[in-house]
Amino acid sequence: SPPIEERPRSQPVVVSNLPPLKMRREMVQLEQRLAGLLPDPQHNIIQFISSRNQEGVSTIVQEFGRVLVEKQGKSVLLVDGDSQKITQHQFFGIPPKTSLQYIMRNGGDLDQAITPVLHSRLFLALLTGDSSETLQYEVTTSKRDLWTHIRKQFDMILIDTAPIDISDEGLELCAAADGVVMVVEAEKTRSQVISNLRDRITHSGGNLLGMVFNKQHYY
């Protein structure tokens, strides 16, 4: 597999020492809207995806997860779902463990794949450890029992997936998530590109919940 582009920090981060939240109000609104779209607490696996790189998926996932943990006291699992990067692990300075994909395929204790962030109810996991393998096997044969088990362990599971202009991995995961949220960069992403992503998500069996309009400027 190709080398991981981003490396973990040398020291783990304590959540209380992180920079202040930049989008607290917006993330609270997002949680309220998702709660209305997925009223069953057991439907709590949300995938975030974009059309292009740098639209802000990882930042949205981080901020949303932190708001749920720091302001609402929920337990949240952040999943690095991009086989080329370990953005969430790098941000919190935590090296990844065994991937969830490995546990899906070979069995094992879920604790082998999940790492807590210091002094918080925030947890991290790596979805796949080898970019040469796809997730289709796990989704179609559903080792969905694993997702069912994960669902029971956390109040919310947020999956940070690669943009589709880089990889189709995220589309292969859509059917396993309870809901999919598109992240769109304001004034950058063309409507045709957005429509194409929407269609590909639904054709992949994803439950498209809506769109986060990111990096919007007010003049």
Side-chain angles (χ1 to χ4, degrees), residues 96-110:
K97 289 179 161 182
T98 300
S99 70
L100 291 173
Q101 184 186 45
Y102 181 89
I103 301 295
M104 289 175 183
R105 189 170 58 241
N106 301 303
D109 192 330
L110 196 57

Side-chain angles (χ1 to χ4, degrees), residues 2-179:
I4 294 171
E5 295 179 5
E6 298 179 85
R7 299 298 179 185
R9 304 172 191 231
S10 57
Q11 294 294 327
V13 170
V14 177
V15 169
S16 59
N17 294 335
L18 288 172
L21 292 160
K22 296 179 180 179
M23 298 178 283
R24 176 181 174 182
R25 180 174 58 85
E26 291 85 353
M27 295 299 102
V28 169
Q29 291 175 344
L30 177 59
E31 192 276 334
Q32 291 170 345
R33 295 188 181 188
L34 290 177
L37 293 166
L38 296 172
D40 185 345
Q42 289 300 306
H43 291 172
N44 58 356
I45 300 177
I46 311 296
Q47 178 186 359
F48 291 78
I49 192 170
S50 65
S51 298
R52 305 177 302 109
N53 199 20
Q54 301 298 321
E55 293 201 73
V57 169
S58 296
T59 301
I60 294 293
V61 169
Q62 285 170 14
E63 289 268 317
F64 189 39
R66 286 183 60 194
V67 164
L68 293 173
V69 170
E70 297 174 33
K71 306 304 178 184
Q72 299 189 23
K74 294 187 176 182
S75 60
V76 178
L77 175 66
L78 303 185
V79 179
D80 267 319
D82 183 346
S83 64
Q84 302 292 324
K85 297 180 179 180
I86 53 168
T87 307
Q88 303 302 331
H89 284 79
Q90 191 272 340
F91 179 80
F92 289 100
I94 295 174
K97 289 179 161 182
T98 300
S99 70
L100 291 173
Q101 184 186 45
Y102 181 89
I103 301 295
M104 289 175 183
R105 189 170 58 241
N106 301 303
D109 192 330
L110 196 57
D111 288 341
Q112 295 175 277
I114 293 177
T115 307
V117 177
L118 290 175
H119 311 307
S120 77
R121 301 192 71 198
L122 193 63
F123 300 81
L124 302 180
L126 183 68
L127 186 58
T128 175
D130 188 346
S131 63
S132 66
E133 299 178 5
T134 69
L135 296 169
Q136 190 169 0
Y137 169 81
E138 286 76 19
V139 172
T140 55
T141 61
S142 52
K143 290 257 180 168
R144 291 178 194 261
D145 49 347
L146 176 72
W147 289 114
T148 300
H149 183 57
I150 294 174
R151 189 179 274 121
K152 295 176 181 177
Q153 305 302 310
F154 303 94
D155 294 319
M156 190 72 77
I157 298 96
L158 309 178
I159 307 176
D160 177 1
T161 45
I164 63 168
D165 68 343
I166 292 178
S167 171
D168 286 342
E169 290 173 338
L171 293 172
E172 293 162 359
L173 182 65
C174 287
D178 295 310

